[in-house]
Structure formats: C-alpha cells, structure tokens
Amino acid sequence: MLDLPPPLSNEVPMMHHMINGDAPQQVILVQVNPGETFTIRTEDGALQCIQGPAEVPMMSPNGSIPPIHVPPGYVSQVLEDNTGVRRVVVTPHSECYPPSYSPALSPSHHIHPPYLTHPHFIPQLYCETKCESVVILTLQVSNVQSRSALVSWTSVSVSGSSGRVPSCSYELQLKDKGRDGKYKVVYRVSTVCNSMKGPSSDARAFTTHSAPPDTPLPPRLSHRTKSSLTLQWKPPVDNGSKITNYVLEWDEKNSIFREYYVGHQRHCKVMGLCPAVGYTFRVAALNDIGTSGFSTEVVFNTTGSLPQTSLPPRLAQAGPSWVTLEWTRPNSCSNEEVVTYTLEMQDETKVLNSALLPPSHIPLILCALESQLFMKSLSLRSNLHCFFFTIKSEPPQDDGGSGDLTYVLEISEGNLEESQWVTLYRGPERKHLCEDLKPATSYSLRLSCVNVGGQSLCSDDLTVRTHIPPPGRCQPPSTVGNVKHKEMTLQWDGPLCGEESENVEFSLEMCAMEEGSEPTEVYCGSKTECTVGNLLPGTTYRFQVRAANSAGYGPYSESVEISTAAGPPGQCSPPAINVRSHTCADVTWENKVSSGIDISEYRLDWGRDLDSLELVYSGMETCFQISNLEASADYCCRLQAVNQAGAGPYSDLVMYRTPAAAPDVVSGFCCVDHPLNPTDNEPFSHSTCLALTWDEPHCNGAEITSYCISIGDRIFTTRNETCHIIRDLLPDSEYSLQIRAENEMGPGPFSQILTVRTRPLPPSPPRLECAAVGPQSLKLRWGFSSRSQLTDDTTYTLQMENRNQRFVVVYRGSSHTFKLQRLSESSQYRFRIQAVSEAGEGPFSETYTFSTTKSLPQTLKAPRVVQLEGNACEVTWESIPPMRGDRISYVLQVLGGRDSDYKQVYKGDETSFQLSGLQWNTDYRVRVFACRRCVDTLQELCGSFSPSAHFNLRRSDATLAVEADITRVPMGKTLTDEQFAGLIVFGVASLSVLMAFLLQLLI
C-alpha cells in the first residue's frame, strides 16, 4: 500500500488533477498499481486517497515532475511513450522485488469466548505486508458452535521480482453491533516491524448456535415474616433460546437441596417456616437447549428474636454411672415458639460431646445420662436346635473400675408381659448352652454384669425361637365318594396336632401297577384332600402321602391300591379318507380297544366345517362311502366310539378336499346393446357385431382358461373374460349361440341356446349446408336427397372442430337446422354430421367448412351540433376504434330547408365537420354512419344511420350551443325516415320467419 506515513502527510503538495485547456500546462499520468493507494491534497487542503489500479492525470504548469513521496524501499521513475505522454511509475528499490503474483498461506483462527457471547457477529480481516506488496484476502467462517467458530482465510500477494513472498501478519477483528459497530481485535498471527496496514477483507456475518442460559445471579429477599420469605431474581442471558422455567431449591439445614418451585415466574413466596431461622436458597434457569448452572447459595433468616442465654443446668440426681440434670425455659420465649436445647458434656478422658434434645413445652426438663455397660448385644451361635441353643456375649466396654465381673443371664418364655424372668446362668463365663427347651417356642434373653459397685443395667433383649421338629407319619389315603373312570378324590389324616405341626404341607405320590413305573407327585399343599384326574379307566394305582414343615419331610404313610371304574371308550384314531372321484370318497378307521367294556357302535360326523358337522353313519362297520360331493370343496369328519358306559371323545378333526373338475355350465349368457370393453381401433356396429356377456361359472377347483362360443358351424375361443364381441356378421340376420367354459381339467357343458338378431344398417350421413351467415353466427341445415332414408326415430349429431383440432358435439337432436352463436367474425369453422337411428350410429360425413362474414360498424349515437359565428355550425360525433385492423371512416348527411332527401356533405376519418352557408331560422337535421374499409377485400361495409339531430340557426350576438335532439314524429304527421326503415325491417323479418316455418313443414 502506498499510504503516506504520518511524518510525510503535511508534506504532500497540492496538485490539480483536472485537465484544462491552458497551453503551457502539461498532463502527467501517475500509475497506481493494484493494491496501492495514491494520496494527494486537494485545493481545499483535504487529503484524497485513490485506490489502484488507476491512472491519475496530474497537471504540471511548467512541465516539471511534481514531488511524489513513496514508502521506504520504493523509488518513483518517469517513463515516456512514443506519443510523448509521461507516466510516473513507483517500483521497488533494488533490495525489494519486482511485482509478481504468488499465492500466500491460508491461515485460520478459532474464535472462542469471551467474544462469542451474542448470536450475531461480523468478522473482518486486515493484512499488513512488507515492501508494499498487495494481499487479497477471502474470509470464511465454519464449524460454528454456540460459543466458538472457526475463521479461516486465503490470500494472494504481489511480491518482489525474486518471487519471494513478503512477511505478513494478520489482524482479525470482530463486532457484534451490526455493520456500523466497532471492531475488536481478537487474533494476530505474527508481528512485522515497520509494516504498512493493508485494506480489510469483506465482512462476513455468522450466527452462533443457541446455548443453555447463563448462570443467574443469586435470588434476593424482597419481604420476610416469621413464617415466610419472599424471593425475587433477575433473568440471566438466554443465549439465543427463550427461558421457559426457573428452578428454586432450598436447604433446610440438612445439607440436601430440594426443589421448592418450578415455573416461569421470577418470584416465589416460601411459607411454613420457623421464626428466626436461616434457610439457604439457589436458583437455575431452563430453556429449550438445557439447564444453566445454579447460582451461588444465599442464606435468608425469618424474623423473630433469638432466645436468651439459658441458665446453667442443675444436678437433680446422681448414681455410680449416671446423672440427672434439669434446667429452666428462657423467659424471652413465648409458649407458642418451638424451642430446642443442646446439652454438652466433657470429662478428663473424653472430648466434648453434645446432644440435641427435642423441644418441650414443659418449663422443667429432666435429662438422664446413663453409662451403659453393653454397646453390643447378645449373639446366637449356629447350633440352634429344637431343644437347645448356645448364647455368647462380648465383654462390656466399661467394667466400672473392677476387673472381676459376674455375668447374669436371664430367660423368659413367650410374651414378656405375661412371663417372668428366670435366671438361667450366673458366673464368669461369656457363653452358655441353654438345654431342655420346648420346640417351636420363642424365648427372650437378657444379660447384666455384677461387680463390687453393684449390678449394671440389662442389655437389649434377644429373642430366640427353637426349631420345629419334622412331622410324624400320616394315615394312609382313602377315597371320598364314588371312584370314576378317569378321576378319584382322596383324603388322609395328618400327624398329631400341636405347635410343632403348624404350617404343615402334604405330598401325595401315585404309581401305576405296571412293572418299572416310577412314582409321581400328584399333589403338594396344606389341604388333606385332593382330586386326581387324567386316569385310565379300569386301571389300578398305588398311593402314599407324607407331611413336611420347615424342619423337613416326615416318613411316608402306608401305601394303598385303588382301581378306577370302567368308562366310555377312549379317543379314536383319526379316520382315513380315500378318493374315488371328485363326487365320491371312502372313509375307513381302526377298531378301537375297549376301556373294560366292548364297543357297541361307531359314529361318523361329516360336514363342510366344524359348525356344519352332521351324523352320516352309525354302526359297527369300520368303513363308509360318501357321495354327492362338490368338486374342489373342503370337507371335514370325525369319529366317536360308544359302549354301555357312554360315548368316548371325538377323534381329531380330519380335513379333506375333493379334486378339481371341469367348470360348471355357463349362466347369464345374453346379448347387450353396448360392449363392456370397447376398443377405439375397432368400431362397434349393431348391424354387423354382437356384444355378448355372461356370468363366470364355478371353476370347480381349476382356474378357467378360456370360453368357447358356438355360432352355427363356427367356434370362437376367448380368453378368461366374461364378455366378447363377434364381428363381421350379416345385418338384420338371426343367429343361435351357445357357450361353455374350459379349464385344465377339460371343457364344461354348453349353455342353453341364445337366439339373437343383428340390427339393420345405420343411416348414412345427411348433406350439410349453410342456410344463413352472419358476423357472429352460422345457421346450418341438413337433409337427405331421398325421403326413404328418413325414419321417425332418426337423430343427428353435429360436431364442430375446436382450437385443439378436435371435434366436439355442438348439437344432438332430431331437428334439421341449428344456429351457432357467439362466433368470431370473418373466421372459418369446420363441421361434420352423423345420423343415428335404432339401427345404430351411422358414419360421420365429410368435413364442411363455412366462414362468418365481417361485422358492420356499430350504429353511432346522434351527432352533436354547436352553432359558430355567422351562419355556420360544427357537427361532432363519437369515434369507433379500428375493427381487426380495418380503418373506420364516417359519412355525414344533412336535411334542411325545402329538401326532401338527405345530402351527403362529408366523408372521411375525422369525427367533426363544420357546416357553413346555412339559412337563418331554418330547421336542419343531420345524421352520420360509419363505414369499415376492409384491407383484404378492398370492400367497404357501412353501418346503419345514427338517430338524426335537429337544430335551427337563430340570429344572436353570442354563439349558442344547439343540443342534439332526436325528433319524435307527432301523431297524425308523416313518418320519419328512421321509422319507415324500421317498419320495413320488421316486415322483412316477419316474412323470413314465415318462410322458414313453411320450409320446415315441407322438409
């Protein structure tokens, strides 16, 4: 960059860079290279910077080179071309490098906090180079996070002649106040002494991602009472996502924070607090991104005065290892306040201990501190039995100053409130075997020590329960009620009842009498009765039972053998089905072994499904034939055996499907008026075609592949469809048809004979002609050359070609004429017509082309007349725009004085005309009509006359405007020209309607 250093800024000479026409003055061009800045001082003393590339024309009064200050390492040279124009070029000194382009490094920098604390930033980059080289920078921002972004850039520098890249340092600036904000330097790669600052790169804006809110400030106290605290807090920075909730937590002096409030309010009232007590609070904020950290903890106290210092405690009673103290409630505390007390104790061998005593409303409080010999309780050894157990204890922590201790073990049976304590052992040992106890009995034990100072307090009670002995032998099981063929009910008596028999369960085992059979447990429970099922009829089983409790199983009872009664037969094996044909099948089964009684009969059920099963056979045979079945149908059957004891269970259900067969006869065979599947490429005619349809018959298990249609001695084969078109028949002829379906199993039977008759040939199209032509209408008529082609039921379809070159129906009916309205003038239209009778639709006629005429100009309104000076007046009328490119001219006619006919006084393109030489006090009438000059046919079409305007010239000093007045004919006077013309038009129109009606009757 060629910015002047500060010491040279005041030395910049004033130079004129405007070229004027003075002869002595010469123009010198200063060449400013790309990336350079040329600074000059203007006439008003201000400095002006010109960025390169540019050529600055400077004015020299005497042809001398004005002084140009360049940075260190550069020199200015004057070059003159062939045309005599001199240029000042700034080039590096010999120690610098000639201008040449070389790529620079591509540095990058990652922007971190504290600069990215807002979501929108615009970074900007400057470059400082040495030896006045030019660096062009491209700035990019990537990897944008909530609080960081990666900024990278590339540079292309203009270095010296040796191709060396000049040393360069980069300065990255950031702003968050919009495009007009101030930038803040956040990064510098390197430092170069005596460097020149280059132009900044283009600013690049980016937006950081949203983040959880900042940690809020601690809540502040706005109001407090004895039982409540009202807190408030300020919202923290939301970091791009709106804060949705706040979380207020508090600590009730147990170092555990709990939630007290969650919501969007920034204040909360904490109620139900104790007076004069401090509570700790902290708050956090939440948004859609996450939760902020909790604020610093703050302590607030409820109102209320602190209690006075309590008086020292007093000794109420003392013992060898305990003391009783008492103290008085402070007078400053009211009866409603809850007061707690802290009692501390200290001796020579122990540190200071404190105990937090519960509050009390009694003014005099007693506290007993007793030194217990046992911090440890009794323990039970592992040899707990039904009749004995062993007790063991640890020595006391405080022996009372004497080493000789006597242990006293006491025992109590059952509930302490109803039993007495009995000394079980007294001696120096610390364990004892307790014998001769009752089984399943609870005992309570306690231990104390005795020395010369007396007896200690007893230890905590230890409750021990002796084991329960296993139960004794049960009585053998016996039957209850009648023994059935598949089940029986057994009962038994348990062992002797007592405490040891509580929670007793029984196990019943069963074993078949066959050799090698293993016993099976069939019941386990607390009841002494059970029902054993799933037994075999007429079979003997062996049963035995035993009892069990928490101590284990007792001995088995004596075994007993019980036989089941004879029952109905068991389940038969599924019958077998052998196929004979698609309508017949043989069912066979095996002879079932009886369940103690011979089988009297077999029962076979047959049906389409389980709900429709019916009995089809009953007897002693083991086979049965079923006929009259349907082809490819599903059937099922089951078998049941019967004896004198009853009917056995059904066998498993057997499914059977009959084989496929040829299709059934086709029904619904008929001829329809319109084919069900018409095709555009083959038109349908009732005179030569028959459209047939039928119902699909039952396929009998094999898909129908085709249909055969017989018509006389001809056979038509179709695909698997239920409709078909027979073509190339004779018109007005009778035919007999039959149809049958075929599948892979073969053809089915033919249907009944269908007799049909083709229709006569449809009529040919009539001849179409244009009866009347108008600018926006065409009246068409048609007819036949011979009346023999006409029938009463003949209708006609008239079609017109649209803009898409497709024919659309414009008329369908029995009339012979039709008038089309709303057409375009001077346009061609293409038509075709078709005749339709009961024989069908006839072919379309050839295409007829008819054209509409051009429109006449519209009737103008009555002209307006304005009297001028003298015996002249000006007539004006409305204008008509050109019609489809044809120009419009106007004809003006005047009737006045003794003239009986209108005379033409003007014809041209203007919409006004001046009449002169008129007579005073004379009635005049003027009228005008428009003419259309057709460019293509050179024809002139004139419209109808406008209503006439009446005026009369009267002598007057001032020019009066004569209003246009459409004259009405008074009663009893002669008709005007307009009325006469209207009468003629009405007569002609009435005559035309009458003639058209007569022609219609003739046709």
Side-chain angles (χ1 to χ4, degrees), residues 777-793:
S777 63
L778 289 174
K779 185 176 181 181
L780 306 180
R781 64 183 178 187
W782 52 87
F784 294 98
S785 58
S786 174
R787 296 187 58 87
S788 60
Q789 299 182 6
L790 289 176
T791 59
D792 295 338
D793 61 343

Side-chain angles (χ1 to χ4, degrees), residues 835-855:
V836 181
S837 66
E838 62 177 2
E841 297 181 356
F844 278 98
S845 67
E846 61 181 3
T847 303
Y848 294 87
T849 303
F850 302 108
S851 300
T852 56
T853 61
K854 288 192 175 185
S855 300

Side-chain angles (χ1 to χ4, degrees), residues 7 19 53 76 104 136 173 275 353 372 377 404 433 441 467 518 574 576 642 744 774 790:
I19 303 177
S76 60
I136 302 173
Q173 296 184 348
N353 294 329
Q372 302 291 337
S377 61
D404 297 332
L433 177 63
T441 304
H467 287 173
E518 295 292 333
V642 183
E744 60 182 6
L790 289 176

Side-chain angles (χ1 to χ4, degrees), residues 672-814:
V672 294
D673 292 337
H674 300 284
L676 301 181
N677 53 351
T679 56
D680 296 336
N681 52 357
E682 296 184 51
F684 178 82
S685 173
H686 290 89
S687 302
T688 58
C689 301
L690 289 176
L692 304 176
T693 182
W694 57 89
D695 298 332
E696 183 179 358
H698 193 274
C699 65
N700 291 331
E703 183 180 1
I704 296 176
T705 57
S706 62
Y707 292 92
C708 289
I709 301 176
S710 173
I711 177 170
D713 55 351
R714 300 167 59 186
I715 298 293
F716 297 93
T717 301
T718 69
R719 295 176 298 177
N720 185 13
E721 298 176 347
T722 58
C723 58
H724 183 67
I725 298 176
I726 300 179
R727 303 180 184 274
D728 301 330
L729 301 178
L730 297 177
D732 198 16
S733 301
E734 188 176 276
Y735 294 93
S736 298
L737 298 91
Q738 284 183 300
I739 188 172
R740 69 181 179 184
E742 297 181 353
N743 60 9
E744 60 182 6
M745 307 302 298
F750 272 109
S751 66
Q752 295 182 355
I753 297 177
L754 174 66
T755 301
V756 295
R757 187 177 187 88
T758 57
R759 297 181 183 180
L761 290 174
S764 58
R767 179 172 47 84
L768 186 65
E769 61 184 10
C770 184
V773 180
Q776 283 84 28
S777 63
L778 289 174
K779 185 176 181 181
L780 306 180
R781 64 183 178 187
W782 52 87
F784 294 98
S785 58
S786 174
R787 296 187 58 87
S788 60
Q789 299 182 6
L790 289 176
T791 59
D792 295 338
D793 61 343
T794 303
T795 60
Y796 304 95
T797 301
L798 179 64
Q799 293 184 348
M800 181 179 70
E801 188 180 43
N802 59 10
R803 296 179 180 178
N804 299 327
Q805 297 182 353
R806 296 180 59 182
F807 281 94
V808 294
V809 177
V810 294
Y811 172 76
R812 181 180 285 115
S814 59

Side-chain angles (χ1 to χ4, degrees), residues 248-554:
L248 178 65
E249 293 187 350
W250 70 329
D251 179 13
E252 298 180 277
K253 292 300 182 181
N254 53 5
S255 301
I256 298 177
F257 277 93
R258 296 186 299 110
E259 285 187 1
Y260 185 85
Y261 169 77
V262 177
H264 64 279
Q265 301 291 339
R266 297 198 301 273
H267 57 84
C268 177
K269 185 176 183 179
V270 184
M271 298 183 294
L273 306 180
C274 297
V277 177
Y279 297 90
T280 305
F281 299 92
R282 64 181 183 181
V283 69
L286 291 80
N287 61 7
D288 294 337
I289 307 302
T291 306
S292 70
F294 278 96
S295 65
T296 56
E297 300 173 4
V298 61
V299 179
F300 299 114
N301 295 289
T302 54
T303 58
S305 58
L306 296 176
Q308 296 178 355
T309 303
S310 301
L311 296 176
R314 300 181 300 273
L315 179 62
Q317 192 177 1
S321 60
W322 55 273
V323 292
T324 301
L325 304 177
E326 63 180 11
W327 57 86
T328 306
R329 181 183 180 92
N331 296 329
S332 61
C333 298
S334 61
N335 294 333
E336 290 78 11
E337 295 187 28
V338 179
V339 182
T340 58
Y341 302 92
T342 302
L343 180 64
E344 296 181 350
M345 180 184 70
Q346 184 178 18
D347 58 16
E348 296 178 354
T349 61
K350 298 180 181 179
V351 297
L352 183 64
N353 294 329
S354 63
L356 182 62
L357 303 182
S360 175
H361 293 286
I362 303 176
L364 183 60
I365 305 298
L366 298 179
C367 174
L369 298 178
E370 299 180 353
S371 176
Q372 302 291 337
L373 291 177
F374 298 96
M375 300 302 178
K376 298 183 179 178
S377 61
L378 294 174
S379 62
L380 180 69
R381 294 181 64 90
S382 62
N383 57 350
L384 180 64
H385 198 261
C386 300
F387 305 100
F388 61 87
F389 55 81
T390 302
I391 289 296
K392 178 182 178 183
S393 177
E394 297 294 334
Q397 294 181 355
D398 187 1
D399 56 4
S402 174
D404 297 332
L405 296 177
T406 299
Y407 295 95
V408 179
L409 179 62
E410 296 177 299
I411 189 170
S412 176
E413 179 181 350
N415 193 349
L416 292 178
E417 298 179 356
E418 301 177 358
S419 303
Q420 299 292 331
W421 287 99
V422 179
T423 301
L424 185 63
Y425 169 77
R426 187 182 185 92
E429 298 296 330
R430 289 186 289 107
K431 67 178 179 178
H432 179 71
L433 177 63
C434 304
E435 298 177 312
D436 301 329
L437 304 176
K438 298 178 181 180
T441 304
S442 298
Y443 293 92
S444 297
L445 298 99
R446 65 185 182 183
L447 184 65
S448 62
C449 292
V450 180
N451 62 4
V452 295
Q455 187 174 358
S456 70
L457 296 177
C458 294
S459 68
D460 296 335
D461 295 343
L462 175 64
T463 301
V464 180
R465 182 178 178 87
T466 55
H467 287 173
I468 301 174
R473 185 186 299 274
C474 298
Q475 298 297 321
S478 60
T479 60
V480 178
N482 296 328
V483 179
K484 300 180 180 180
H485 66 282
K486 283 190 175 182
E487 66 177 27
M488 63 180 70
T489 302
L490 302 178
Q491 67 177 6
W492 58 91
D493 293 333
L496 296 177
C497 297
E499 294 184 357
E500 67 277 3
S501 62
E502 295 179 357
N503 299 325
V504 175
E505 292 186 351
F506 301 95
S507 175
L508 178 65
E509 290 186 354
M510 180 187 72
C511 181
M513 298 302 295
E514 287 83 0
E515 184 178 358
S517 298
E518 295 292 333
T520 304
E521 184 181 53
V522 295
Y523 173 75
C524 181
S526 59
K527 296 182 179 181
T528 58
E529 181 180 328
C530 78
T531 300
V532 183
N534 295 327
L535 303 179
L536 297 177
T539 306
T540 302
Y541 296 93
R542 182 184 294 115
F543 296 93
Q544 59 184 3
V545 66
R546 62 178 177 174
N549 58 13
S550 60
Y553 281 99

